[in-house]
Amino acid sequence: MSAPPDLPEIVARAFDVSRRAGYVSFCRNETGRLLAMLAATRDGTMAEFGTGCGVGTAWLRSGVRGEKARIVTAELDARLARAAAEIFTDDPLVEVLAADWSTLLDRGPYSLLFLDSGEPAAVGVDAVVDLVEAGGIVVLDDFAPCEMWPPISGGRVDILREQWLTDERFTAVEVMVAPDAAVVIATRR
Ligand SMILES: C[S@@+](CC[C@H](N)C(=O)[O-])C[C@H]1O[C@@H](n2cnc3c(N)ncnc32)[C@H](O)[C@@H]1O
């Protein structure tokens, strides 16, 4: 294990809420720690597409330094959004919207964008490039590590990953966060 097993208090609270809601589709802790670390480098507004029950949001929140950063997160499922909002009731730095992530299109640009709505086709570079400020970071979760180029997933070229790793508007890297899990992180040039 490369990180302490203890969870930040806010993340533990998010897990409690998830458990009560019977929801299990949250980012893994390795990705969460990465989100927290990246959030600690950010001022300005960070956004998450697909809140789920707020675990990823809580990881981001755990990394925030001071009062200069905000997090806004959108969840299509109103029941999940309500549950996630509970975690941050008294937190002026986090806003949970029960809405399609497209609601966030006119609230950018963002200093960090966590694309986690599970709709790969919707999160191509062209769809989000204008939402990211120069030097801003995009995080895409849930890739299977791949040592081939172009990247293959399910027997086909993984077009989304290939696109993010080659687009000249970003400097990007695929990072293995566990033997069976990778994320793509891209910085807007
Ligand atoms: C993988 S889960 C999110 C997990 C969460 N980011 C975390 O790390 O704990 C994906 C979520 O995206 C939501 N979702 C799917 N399409 C969406 C959309 N168009 N706008 C907002 N949320 C969406 C789903 O309802 C689901 O709860």
Side-chain angles (χ1 to χ4, degrees):
M1 178 163 303
S2 63
D6 289 349
L7 298 175
E9 194 257 328
I10 188 77
V11 176
R13 194 154 11 123
F15 275 125
D16 284 344
V17 168
S18 262
R19 212 166 291 127
R20 268 185 270 127
Y23 187 76
V24 292
S25 184
F26 36 74
C27 69
R28 40 198 301 167
N29 289 347
E30 294 90 339
T31 305
R33 285 188 200 283
L34 178 68
L35 290 172
M37 182 279 286
L38 292 172
T41 72
R42 306 285 93 187
D43 288 333
T45 307
M46 295 178 257
E48 178 184 36
F49 290 3
T51 317
C53 246
V55 171
T57 322
W59 276 112
L60 285 169
R61 179 64 181 91
S62 73
V64 167
R65 291 172 302 113
E67 303 285 315
K68 284 207 224 146
R70 300 264 178 289
I71 300 168
V72 57
T73 179
E75 170 55 52
L76 199 53
D77 181 325
R79 186 184 68 91
L80 293 178
R82 257 197 315 277
E86 225 186 273
I87 305 164
F88 307 103
T89 306
D90 298 319
D91 190 338
L93 301 189
V94 179
E95 186 181 0
V96 180
L97 302 174
D100 190 284
W101 62 254
S102 57
T103 309
L104 299 180
L105 291 178
D106 52 9
R107 296 178 59 158
Y110 300 108
S111 58
L112 183 150
L113 198 48
F114 178 32
L115 302 176
D116 201 27
S117 67
E119 306 171 291
V123 291
V125 181
D126 287 340
V128 299
V129 61
D130 291 335
L131 291 179
V132 187
E133 64 188 32
I137 294 173
V138 179
V139 183
L140 295 104
D141 197 5
D142 290 330
F143 292 100
C146 175
E147 290 181 7
M148 275 181 278
W149 187 263
I152 307 289
S153 178
R156 292 165 180 251
V157 173
D158 183 342
I159 309 263
L160 179 76
R161 186 172 356 185
E162 183 186 35
Q163 189 189 65
W164 274 102
L165 290 170
T166 55
D167 194 285
E168 291 187 351
R169 293 166 289 182
F170 287 88
T171 296
V173 64
E174 178 178 325
V175 177
M176 273 174 70
V177 292
D180 60 343
V183 301
V184 169
I185 315 171
T187 301
R188 177 87 155 95
R189 302 190 60 83

